[in-house]
Amino acid sequence: MTRMDVGETDGWLEIRAEHYTARVDRERLLADVTGADGGSWGMLRLLASVDTLAGPDETTHVEAVTWESTDSCVRLTVSCASSLWTARTHVVEFHPGRITFGATVRGEGRVTTVRLLGGARLPQGVLPSGAAHHTVFSPNPDHPWRVARPAVEPAVISVNGEGGEPGVGRWLFTPAPTCFGLSRERAADERTLPEGPWLMLGLAATRRTFVDVVYDPTPGGFSLRCEYQGHTAADATFTTPEVLLLFGAADPYAGLRAYRDELAARGLAPAVAGRDAACPPSGDRLQPIFCGWGAQCALAAVDGSPAPALSRRALYEEWLDALAGRGIVPGTIVVDDKWQERYATCRPDAVKWPDLAGFVADRQAGGQRVLLWWKAWDPEGAPAEACVRAPDGTPLAIDPESPAGRAVIEDAMEYMLGPDGLNADGLKIDFTARTPSGTALRHAGPSWGFDLLHELLAVAYRAAKRVKPDSLIVTHTPDPGFLDVTDMIRLNDALHNDHPEGLVPPSDDAVVEQMTYRARVVHAACPELPVDTDGWRLPGERHLRAYAAAAPRLGAPALYYADGMDWAPGRVEAATWAAIAEAWAAYRAEHGLAVPPHRIIGHGA
């Protein structure tokens, strides 16, 4: 059934669609939704609040509820009087496979918090939607091993997080797709998802000047919350993001793909087939990867040096030669933190890397690509006028909407990738979770949150492609709205060093399970992009060996170690290196990739 049936009974508006039935109580602004199988999806609150720096937005009374229908849509319009705005209008659309909800306010103010599918109504206070689900899926890997979470626990998708700080370990995908999955079933454990059906709860918006999207539960209820922090001005009108409730997913990964397709239909992301045909991943982008960060950390664990101090040419050549001697020859090499003298300007530290351009040229001559690690946002070496600043003027982050900030980024790209600079083959972009957050911060342009991060990456990406069109830009931003600023998605660190459960896997296969979950998120939301499988920080040698065997099924295998491991004392056994070499050889054979004609070119330690 693709046709929508609608009728009025006992004061309720009843809407029957292919995948659900919704009975709308126009007095209480609730939609009682049941699935095609007759199971309840809860009572959706057809209410929103848009708070500002001036105070909270509270509904004083409902002025009108009207509806109109066609064969394929029922449109409900709710007009409310607000304590803060001159008017607030909610629009709910019921389609065969989805329900959408959004609101528009009239007036002026600087938006702080938007609440959707819930809001403040006098005299009851904040009223959420009623929950019938028991399990929530988040595409954001904010826990070291969990995939399923109870419905009573919050979940956050954000462009801001911080490794090493308790309670904000949501930095691995910044951002993840802004879409949660809801299941009526209880998960057997936190590593196992219930079977379908799943209801997907996503956001669609042209402008995304929020920092966080929060699944915000209460006992028996939930709503969605977006944090704007006062950096978005409502000038006459402001329209919230639109909530998309997508029905019928067999699992949340299928639901994420449906969410991507819905964004594409709205012009908010490219269609998957279109980009697949235009930009198939080239073979060199699928080559196995060596990143020196893990080897730096392993050596730091032995000699007590800070790991960034060990980004040195002599060490990288030693590590690469040792791997080649074991039959492990990466096609892509990442020179990691801290090869730069200063993060913002990206000139090499002359002591640690006396001839980085020469190192790049040597590796390219051996058939390998070299990516340079770029620390997003870091203002080290940039002038104050190029930066987002604290109230006292202290520079805190590069501001891509400042002319000076753009100039710093573009100059760094020109130097790192240009033939007159280092002539590297691309970038591994890290620390996107350092996106500025805070109401008191000062910046140049209108963007904030998701949009400000996108602008930072857009400035860098466009400049990189101008300098070197075939450069490879790797990020950990699997949200479909960032497809235009990345070429490859990295799964990011396997362990959460800031989480009390992060260093002790509950089983030998927990690392593989966790990274498989992350890869499935990327494959669902951004199927056209190749995956950098990462591989740091691993708890021990058996996990190194297990993940080396599993990673080729997820994307381009990546290796972070060349001798010992940072959490496992002693040298890695020869049998483990042999297993890695075998896994890489099988992966290359499957994908038709050649082994680079590497030769031992190290200059000694």
Side-chain angles (χ1 to χ4, degrees):
M1 177 174 60
T2 58
R3 186 175 180 276
M4 306 291 294
D5 292 328
V6 59
E8 292 185 86
T9 57
D10 302 325
W12 291 70
L13 184 67
E14 184 168 286
I15 302 157
R16 293 176 296 278
E18 182 179 3
H19 292 282
Y20 65 89
T21 297
R23 298 182 71 243
V24 179
D25 183 338
R26 286 173 284 181
E27 177 66 28
R28 298 171 64 195
L29 299 185
L30 287 171
D32 185 1
V33 180
T34 56
D37 58 0
S40 174
W41 283 117
M43 304 280 282
L44 299 180
R45 184 78 60 178
L46 309 181
L47 190 65
S49 292
V50 181
D51 300 340
T52 72
L53 292 173
D57 172 20
E58 298 171 322
T59 297
T60 60
H61 63 275
V62 178
E63 296 177 324
V65 179
T66 60
W67 63 276
E68 56 186 343
S69 68
T70 66
D71 284 347
S72 59
C73 175
V74 176
R75 180 184 177 96
L76 190 73
T77 302
V78 180
S79 301
C80 293
S82 164
S83 62
L84 186 65
W85 304 98
T86 58
R88 179 170 12 90
T89 302
H90 313 100
V91 175
V92 192
E93 290 189 351
F94 299 88
H95 298 268
R98 68 188 186 277
I99 299 173
T100 66
F101 173 83
T104 297
V105 294
R106 297 189 180 281
E108 296 183 352
R110 301 197 68 85
V111 177
T112 53
T113 298
V114 169
R115 189 177 296 274
L116 300 163
L117 299 180
R121 183 173 182 179
L122 300 176
Q124 296 102 321
V126 175
L127 297 174
S129 292
H133 58 279
H134 294 288
T135 302
V136 172
F137 170 89
S138 171
N140 196 29
D142 59 0
H143 184 280
W145 317 117
R146 180 174 54 198
V147 177
R149 71 181 71 214
V152 294
E153 182 178 325
V156 182
I157 295 169
S158 181
V159 290
N160 181 268
E162 186 64 55
E165 293 293 337
V168 287
R170 52 180 182 259
W171 47 275
L172 294 169
F173 284 171
T174 41
T178 54
C179 186
F180 302 103
L182 312 181
S183 171
R184 295 190 295 252
E185 303 300 322
R186 297 183 190 275
D189 57 65
E190 62 185 12
R191 294 160 56 197
T192 306
L193 292 171
E195 294 185 0
W198 285 77
L199 173 63
M200 304 307 292
L201 193 65
L203 287 189
T206 303
R207 290 285 287 164
R208 299 193 293 176
T209 52
F210 45 76
V211 173
D212 300 329
V213 178
V214 184
Y215 164 82
D216 196 5
T218 62
F222 76 99
S223 58
L224 291 182
R225 195 178 77 242
C226 300
E227 296 296 341
Y228 288 78
Q229 301 183 333
H231 293 273
T232 298
D235 184 11
T237 63
F238 170 82
T239 298
T240 71
E242 194 170 12
V243 181
L244 309 177
L245 295 107
L246 307 177
F247 293 84
D251 60 52
Y253 305 109
L256 285 176
R257 179 57 184 271
Y259 172 64
R260 162 70 187 277
D261 291 341
E262 182 65 24
L263 293 180
R266 293 163 177 265
L268 300 175
V272 172
R275 178 155 174 150
D276 271 343
C279 276
S282 59
D284 54 4
R285 295 186 177 187
L286 301 178
Q287 281 280 1
I289 301 165
F290 171 74
C291 178
W293 178 247
Q296 292 174 223
C297 291
L299 183 56
V302 173
D303 72 4
S305 301
L310 300 174
S311 179
R312 296 176 175 272
R313 176 173 181 168
L315 290 172
Y316 270 70
E317 289 174 334
E318 178 183 316
W319 294 330
L320 289 164
D321 288 349
L323 290 174
R326 303 181 188 113
I328 301 172
V329 181
T332 299
I333 298 162
V334 178
V335 177
D336 214 285
D337 186 17
K338 186 189 186 192
W339 61 268
Q340 313 95 322
E341 183 180 17
R342 296 179 178 177
Y343 286 122
T345 52
C346 294
R347 268 51 177 180
D349 183 313
V351 174
K352 294 187 289 185
W353 288 93
D355 183 13
L356 181 51
F359 173 86
V360 171
D362 284 348
R363 292 295 152 181
Q364 290 169 338
Q368 296 167 309
R369 292 164 63 96
V370 179
L371 308 184
L372 299 178
W373 184 84
W374 187 59
K375 188 178 182 184
W377 297 114
D378 201 296
E380 184 184 34
E385 63 270 19
C387 298
V388 177
R389 285 171 276 180
D392 66 359
T394 301
L396 299 176
I398 292 289
D399 187 347
E401 293 189 315
S402 157
R406 288 195 298 272
V408 168
I409 297 168
E410 290 169 349
D411 176 76
M413 298 300 129
E414 175 75 35
Y415 182 79
M416 288 188 288
L417 304 178
D420 296 330
L422 301 176
N423 199 31
D425 298 292
L427 304 175
K428 170 185 171 181
I429 298 180
D430 206 353
F431 280 78
T432 48
R434 291 281 177 88
T435 301
S437 179
T439 299
L441 297 182
R442 296 156 48 192
H443 55 104
S447 298
W448 197 246
F450 279 58
D451 282 357
L452 191 65
L453 172 58
H454 185 275
E455 185 62 21
L456 177 88
L457 296 179
V459 172
Y461 190 86
R462 289 192 297 260
K465 297 300 181 177
R466 282 196 302 270
V467 175
K468 182 166 289 186
D470 65 343
S471 57
L472 176 62
I473 308 301
V474 183
T475 72
H476 45 94
T477 61
D479 177 87
F482 285 74
L483 278 165
D484 61 334
V485 294
T486 187
D487 299 320
M488 188 177 207
I489 298 295
R490 180 169 69 98
L491 300 184
N492 220 323
D493 301 354
L495 290 188
H496 295 233
N497 301 329
D498 55 329
H499 196 286
E501 301 176 47
L503 304 181
V504 184
S507 68
D508 283 354
D509 57 359
V511 169
V512 172
E513 285 182 359
Q514 169 67 196
M515 303 304 273
T516 299
Y517 143 66
R518 297 187 202 175
R520 293 190 71 184
V521 168
V522 178
H523 295 155
C526 306
E528 61 269 63
L529 293 186
V531 169
D532 168 357
T533 57
D534 206 277
W536 182 86
R537 193 171 205 178
L538 295 176
E541 186 171 347
R542 69 181 186 275
H543 301 98
L544 171 62
R545 193 164 177 170
Y547 191 47
R553 299 193 300 270
L554 308 180
L559 178 64
Y560 276 65
Y561 301 106
D563 190 358
M565 298 179 67
D566 35 6
W567 281 103
R571 291 181 176 273
V572 174
E573 294 181 358
T576 298
W577 296 122
I580 294 171
E582 183 179 352
W584 281 25
Y587 169 81
R588 280 185 163 124
E590 179 182 356
H591 291 277
L593 302 174
V595 179
H598 172 81
R599 60 191 187 281
I600 303 296
I601 55 176
H603 297 178

